[in-house]
Amino acid sequence: MLTTSQVRSDLKEIRYYYAMKDLFDRSSKTVKPLAIIEKVAKYNEAMEKAPARLYILYVSLYLENNTQVALAEEWQFTTDYMKELNTKLIRFLQSALK
């Protein structure tokens, strides 16, 4: 089972990948970034089975590169509730990626 810190680290890397996706796509013609592509595919596959709220949180935070604070404001939630949701997302991923 992945540790909480490993999932957090992976999610940061996934966020970076999507933030820089255009550059990754352009450079992949020369050097294919297989490690991150495989990691993204693994996490995206796990998220296909996620509850709706966690799925939208994953997409909003990591694919669309939003912060928890920005989403809390946009969705009119407290930052504490966003942290709680993110913790649930991490636990879901730990379980799904056994």
Side-chain angles (χ1 to χ4, degrees):
M1 184 175 203
L2 294 171
T3 65
T4 300
S5 64
Q6 181 60 52
V7 173
R8 287 183 193 278
S9 175
D10 288 349
L11 289 172
K12 286 178 185 176
E13 196 169 358
I14 290 167
R15 177 183 292 195
Y16 184 76
Y17 169 78
Y18 280 106
M20 303 299 289
K21 189 165 182 336
D22 289 339
L23 184 56
F24 275 104
D25 290 346
R26 285 194 313 269
S27 66
S28 69
K29 295 172 183 149
T30 306
V31 178
K32 196 161 190 93
L34 289 177
I36 186 62
I37 289 171
E38 290 170 357
K39 186 177 292 184
V40 166
K42 180 173 81 169
Y43 275 73
N44 287 350
E45 184 178 332
M47 290 309 300
E48 290 175 357
K49 298 173 184 84
R53 185 165 290 207
L54 296 182
Y55 174 84
I56 293 301
L57 182 67
Y58 174 78
V59 169
S60 298
L61 286 177
Y62 301 105
L63 278 61
E64 296 181 349
N65 197 25
N66 288 299
T67 65
Q68 289 181 31
V69 173
L71 279 182
E73 191 173 299
E74 181 181 333
W75 293 355
Q76 298 180 349
F77 292 156
T78 65
T79 53
D80 287 340
Y81 183 65
M82 289 304 292
K83 288 178 186 177
E84 184 182 317
L85 280 178
N86 196 53
T87 300
K88 287 180 182 180
L89 172 63
I90 290 167
R91 288 187 190 131
F92 170 81
L93 287 166
Q94 283 180 295
S95 176
L97 295 170
K98 287 185 201 178

